[in-house]
Amino acid sequence: MKKELEFKTESKRLLDLMIHSIYTNKEIFLRELISNASDAIDKYHLLSLTDDTLEKTNEYEIHIEVDKKHRKISISDNGIGMTYDELVNNLGTIAKSGTLEFLQKMKEKEVKETDLIGQFGVGFYSSFMVSKKVQVITKSPFSETAYKWVSEGEESFTVEEAKKESRGTEITLTLRKNEDEEDYDSFLEEYKIRSLVRKYSDYVKYPITMQTESQKPRLDEEGKEIEDEFDTIIQNETINTRTPLWNKPKSEVTDEELNEFYKSTYFDYTDPAFNIWLNIEGALTYRALLFIPSKAPYNLYSEKYEKGLQLYAKDVFVMDKCKDLIPDYLRFVKGLVVSQDLSLNISREILQKNTQLKKIATNLEKKILSELEKTLKNDREKYVKFFQEFGVNLKYGVYDNYGEKKELIQDLLLFKTVNKDEMVTLKEYIEAMPKEQEFILFGSSSSKEAMKASPQMDLVKSKGYDVLVLTDEVDEFMISILHEYDKKQFKSINQGDLNIVDETEKESIKNLETENQDLLSTLKEILKDEVSDVKLSTRLTDSPVCLVSGEGLSFEMEKVINQMPGDKTMKADKILEINPKHALFQAIEDVYLTSKAELANYASVLYNQALLIEGLPIKDPVSFSNKMIALMIKASKSPVHTDDDEQAA
Ligand code: ADP
């Protein structure tokens, strides 16, 4: 009995998208159907090894047939097939979480459809980009009957019993007519199908066969060719080479082939930035093909992203995402490892403890890092691009495991600096340091410009010292783990004593501090809930005040930690520094002598200003604003005299 069923909501949306797609790469439908067929054969084969009711065989095939007259193309396999329930569920709903995400992104209009189709591969439904009707006939070895599924891609599909004796699935597309520049006819041409299989599915491990027609001169009874008469020879020909790329001699594989392999295997639509090919022979024999994408995948930093390399044992596929082959901080590397030594039916648990695998992983890591080093040295532009996409991962690499890997990674880091337009390595920074500069200076800021303008830069700027500008959340944590580079310690311009001013200067500020001890401790008392200390600054030249943190947690770290879920009690030590050379200091001294109550207002305004400059939130903006206004009104009544005024007078 024929049944009509509705597609699930998401499926409808995806189908609608496919039908109206303006994606220029519609040809990928063939890749998707062949890959489904290959998966179905994999599934059957695996099951047949353990299920005695299933026939054991090695005769697998994916067959393509074209019926030009009726505009049909069919792809059949002798894989696992589908039962009635599987058919309804698998083809009536979207199972793949990736595809659901795809739809979500589309809805949010973050990305263009055309950018996404290539990135995700939208599976079976992509056939609706080229077809007006799709028919699936399938038989599962676990089902008595075969079923037929038909849809024109609109609201619903039909399912009914069908005739099919042998196990597997046959998908028949009825192609659309050519319209608006779209050429669907070409998919009916043998040469086109051959070239698509070669491009996308050449390494599919099962034979992809196609009926090919060729003409041969007809022979007479004596075996002589008859002029102008031909016989049509129909052959079933295998059109994929099936030789895995990695088994070809390296010298015979072009970069273009590698790029195509990368794109079709890892569903990217841009060529990789790096490809690394390893042929290792010796105590351990293995091959590896590694790729670094040009662009970070959209989900690289989401929890759903799974790192890992594909693992093959003696050319047989073992695992899709072998995590143990790649460290976390290189999670963006894609590729595969083919080992000649691993046994085929190795389990995941054993793999984790496998020493061979560990050795391979260590080698791969070294190789990738040395490739990056080479690029940093010889092709700076390419490296900078890489670093902009993936540098943050390297920084986490330094930070992870208490800096276990820092020696390996630190020379690959690039930093923005206040004085330079180009990013620099730590080595370059140190080489450019003036002799007397003691520390590697850094500061956290949203931008170079903001940092240049910050009060903490006063003295540093006047000395001409360069400062690393940190913009990523992980940066300060990474620096605290690095601690030093080439025997030079890192020092934040917002933290502690920079040791920049000379001894006499220090001495004079110390004296000033002693002279003003009462004033400073009164200020400290007024602000006791806000700051841990009030000091005269050795780092300010032009600015009146600034906030710095003590030696422990920095403001930036406090910000980052407080953005994380959970415990929010971590606070950086705040120290208010006042510039003794600024006219404002004189004003404070005056107020201190005339009115203690007024001093409290001054202290509070000063502190809040310092917070604002630091990009930290102020607790009570209304009270701050009221105090400012009161001060302004007062100032207008008894204008402050400055040197300029006196000169003018
Ligand atoms: P994906 O293959 O990525 O899971 P698809 O939309 O392409 O997503 O296919 C949905 C499901 O339909 C598959 O997971 C599989 O269970 C089933 N399927 C598709 N093609 C075949 C086939 N040729 N043989 C058996 N099952 C298939």
Side-chain angles (χ1 to χ4, degrees):
M1 211 185 71
K2 189 155 153 180
K3 244 190 172 176
E4 182 158 349
L5 295 157
E6 285 260 317
F7 282 109
K8 288 271 158 31
T9 325
E10 282 89 16
S11 296
K12 276 187 207 162
R13 277 173 52 210
L14 187 57
L15 280 167
D16 192 58
L17 242 162
M18 291 299 110
I19 288 167
H20 300 112
S21 174
I22 49 155
Y23 188 45
T24 46
N25 223 9
K26 294 185 171 169
E27 61 189 36
I28 57 145
F29 80 91
L30 192 63
R31 168 190 87 188
E32 298 294 309
L33 294 182
I34 289 176
S35 134
N36 279 352
S38 168
D39 288 349
I41 297 176
D42 280 346
K43 280 185 200 158
Y44 177 82
H45 185 70
L46 266 175
L47 270 178
S48 74
L49 298 178
T50 53
D51 187 333
D52 289 335
T53 64
L54 298 179
E55 176 204 7
K56 295 206 181 0
T57 174
N58 274 317
E59 311 261 298
Y60 296 114
E61 181 178 351
I62 298 165
H63 184 66
I64 303 177
E65 222 168 280
V66 175
D67 174 354
K68 263 194 192 172
K69 196 165 152 225
H70 298 104
R71 308 183 61 77
K72 284 184 183 171
I73 169 167
S74 79
I75 294 99
S76 49
D77 63 70
N78 51 1
I80 191 72
M82 284 175 270
T83 62
Y84 178 88
D85 286 347
E86 284 166 346
L87 190 57
V88 171
N89 288 331
N90 293 345
L91 305 188
T93 26
I94 298 174
K96 260 200 303 195
S97 58
T99 315
L100 287 175
E101 245 168 87
F102 162 90
L103 285 172
Q104 195 56 38
K105 292 243 152 184
M106 283 285 312
K107 207 166 84 187
E108 291 161 9
K109 291 264 182 319
E110 267 180 48
V111 227
K112 281 194 297 214
E113 161 214 342
T114 39
D115 289 345
L116 280 175
I117 292 178
Q119 211 174 348
F120 281 90
V122 283
F124 171 75
Y125 287 148
S126 63
S127 34
F128 286 97
M129 288 197 292
V130 297
S131 326
K132 57 177 194 204
K133 181 172 146 188
V134 177
Q135 168 188 296
V136 180
I137 296 181
T138 185
K139 175 155 186 330
S140 157
F142 303 111
S143 163
E144 289 288 303
T145 23
Y147 294 95
K148 179 160 95 179
W149 180 104
V150 179
S151 175
E152 299 194 6
E154 277 147 18
E155 298 286 301
S156 63
F157 56 89
T158 59
V159 187
E160 64 190 300
E161 286 190 9
K163 273 217 174 72
K164 182 174 178 8
E165 298 301 327
S166 57
R167 159 199 94 226
T169 303
E170 179 186 69
I171 297 180
T172 306
L173 314 181
T174 308
L175 294 185
R176 297 194 208 172
K177 295 239 162 58
N178 287 357
E179 62 200 23
D180 323 322
E181 318 261 305
E182 290 281 6
D183 171 19
Y184 299 105
D185 284 358
S186 68
F187 296 127
L188 296 164
E189 299 297 335
E190 185 187 312
Y191 81 89
K192 179 75 178 181
I193 293 177
R194 272 177 191 276
S195 80
L196 290 181
V197 168
R198 171 103 184 116
K199 180 170 174 190
Y200 293 115
S201 314
D202 205 31
Y203 310 119
V204 166
K205 49 185 175 295
Y206 307 107
I208 301 171
T209 61
M210 186 158 79
Q211 280 208 345
T212 56
E213 275 185 22
S214 54
Q215 307 283 326
K216 220 175 124 187
R218 180 170 294 167
L219 305 179
D220 63 15
E221 282 163 10
E222 286 159 23
K224 276 207 207 121
E225 292 184 10
I226 307 173
E227 212 177 317
D228 286 341
E229 285 192 34
F230 296 92
D231 283 325
T232 303
I233 315 272
I234 297 182
Q235 273 178 315
N236 204 26
E237 208 186 323
T238 299
I239 53 175
N240 56 333
T241 60
R242 296 166 68 196
T243 314
L245 191 72
W246 55 85
N247 279 349
K248 293 184 182 173
K250 202 163 153 179
S251 57
E252 276 178 23
V253 180
T254 61
D255 272 348
E256 201 172 15
E257 267 182 279
L258 275 175
N259 290 349
E260 281 312 321
F261 174 81
Y262 163 80
K263 288 191 283 190
S264 57
T265 316
Y266 304 105
F267 304 113
D268 196 349
Y269 55 105
T270 28
D271 288 341
F274 292 77
N275 60 55
I276 302 170
W277 179 317
L278 285 166
N279 264 350
I280 308 293
E281 277 173 37
L284 262 179
T285 300
Y286 66 92
R287 286 161 188 234
L289 273 180
L290 307 175
F291 302 93
I292 299 179
S294 307
K295 287 218 148 310
Y298 77 99
N299 61 348
L300 183 62
Y301 302 106
S302 88
E303 271 176 37
K304 288 206 191 98
Y305 182 86
E306 272 186 86
K307 65 158 185 168
L309 301 179
Q310 294 175 314
L311 181 63
Y312 288 80
K314 303 184 186 71
D315 293 339
V316 180
F317 179 73
V318 177
M319 193 186 289
D320 198 29
K321 296 258 163 86
C322 184
K323 290 193 181 62
D324 310 305
L325 281 170
I326 210 87
D328 271 341
Y329 74 91
L330 296 176
R331 65 216 302 265
F332 51 84
V333 175
K334 310 230 172 196
L336 54 90
V337 169
V338 187
S339 156
Q340 294 307 313
D341 310 304
L342 285 175
S343 121
L344 257 190
N345 36 29
I346 186 161
S347 77
R348 264 162 212 265
E349 295 74 52
I350 295 176
L351 262 182
Q352 274 180 0
K353 293 187 208 113
N354 189 283
T355 50
Q356 290 173 341
L357 212 64
K358 279 204 179 117
K359 274 189 202 140
I360 295 178
T362 314
N363 282 349
L364 297 184
E365 182 180 2
K366 264 195 222 142
K367 182 69 196 176
I368 295 164
L369 293 179
S370 81
E371 190 71 24
L372 291 176
E373 253 167 56
K374 217 167 67 191
T375 311
L376 172 59
K377 211 163 122 203
N378 304 327
D379 190 346
R380 184 76 170 215
E381 201 182 326
K382 181 174 172 183
Y383 188 79
V384 168
K385 263 199 198 128
F386 156 79
F387 196 82
Q388 280 161 345
E389 285 297 318
F390 299 109
V392 109
N393 294 280
L394 301 186
K395 295 173 177 178
Y396 277 105
V398 169
Y399 176 71
D400 265 357
N401 277 323
Y402 311 102
E404 183 194 356
K405 299 270 171 76
K406 68 180 182 190
E407 308 282 330
L408 281 178
I409 310 172
Q410 59 189 8
D411 284 313
L412 289 171
L413 300 172
L414 291 180
F415 294 89
K416 285 188 201 145
T417 80
V418 166
N419 292 346
K420 300 228 168 52
D421 292 331
E422 310 280 316
M423 293 203 276
V424 301
T425 62
L426 290 173
K427 189 152 177 263
E428 289 160 350
Y429 177 89
I430 288 203
E431 279 165 4
M433 262 164 68
K435 264 219 179 64
E436 78 281 3
Q437 186 181 338
E438 192 178 339
F439 301 114
I440 302 174
L441 298 171
F442 68 90
S444 285
S445 184
S446 53
S447 75
K448 201 161 149 159
E449 284 62 39
M451 182 134 132
K452 260 190 179 157
S454 76
Q456 288 88 341
M457 281 293 297
D458 280 2
L459 196 58
V460 175
K461 232 183 324 193
S462 73
K463 289 271 182 183
Y465 295 170
D466 205 357
V467 180
L468 307 179
V469 182
L470 308 185
T471 48
D472 284 324
E473 286 189 351
V474 62
D475 284 339
E476 287 207 11
F477 295 89
M478 167 186 80
I479 295 241
S480 73
I481 290 280
L482 274 177
H483 190 64
E484 56 171 39
Y485 177 86
D486 197 14
K487 304 205 182 71
K488 299 256 186 248
Q489 279 186 21
F490 288 90
K491 194 98 184 173
S492 163
I493 57 162
N494 303 359
Q495 215 169 2
D497 182 3
L498 296 183
N499 213 8
I500 291 182
V501 295
D502 57 34
E503 287 308 318
T504 39
E505 177 95 17
K506 262 192 197 167
E507 198 61 31
S508 86
I509 289 177
K510 248 215 176 98
N511 292 340
L512 263 180
E513 248 177 352
T514 328
E515 279 169 36
N516 289 285
Q517 204 170 1
D518 287 347
L519 166 63
L520 290 174
S521 46
T522 313
L523 285 173
K524 197 173 155 183
E525 177 58 27
I526 296 170
L527 294 172
K528 70 171 183 298
D529 294 335
E530 321 292 347
V531 302
S532 63
D533 206 358
V534 180
K535 278 185 178 168
L536 294 185
S537 183
T538 59
R539 77 187 82 218
L540 297 176
T541 59
D542 305 328
S543 316
V545 283
C546 72
L547 266 186
V548 299
S549 55
E551 292 294 343
L553 206 63
S554 72
F555 297 145
E556 181 62 20
M557 287 171 156
E558 180 190 302
K559 257 190 250 173
V560 174
I561 289 174
N562 288 352
Q563 276 161 15
M564 296 194 285
D567 193 7
K568 305 234 157 147
T569 52
M570 306 268 284
K571 284 263 173 278
D573 236 1
K574 291 195 183 73
I575 300 166
L576 183 68
E577 289 194 357
I578 304 176
N579 183 355
K581 292 180 219 120
H582 199 280
L584 184 87
F585 183 59
Q586 187 64 53
I588 298 173
E589 282 180 318
D590 292 348
V591 172
Y592 175 59
L593 295 176
T594 52
S595 157
K596 294 258 154 78
E598 190 65 352
L599 186 67
N601 286 336
Y602 270 61
S604 149
V605 168
L606 267 185
Y607 169 67
N608 281 316
Q609 279 179 336
L611 281 177
L612 285 175
I613 294 171
E614 213 40 57
L616 296 168
I618 54 180
K619 252 194 226 153
D620 187 350
V622 175
S623 135
F624 169 63
S625 159
N626 286 343
K627 280 177 186 153
M628 283 291 284
I629 290 166
L631 282 172
M632 283 161 91
I633 292 171
K634 213 164 176 195
S636 77
K637 283 184 187 147
S638 56
V640 184
H641 284 280
T642 65
D643 292 351
D644 290 351
D645 292 339
E646 270 159 31
Q647 269 161 21

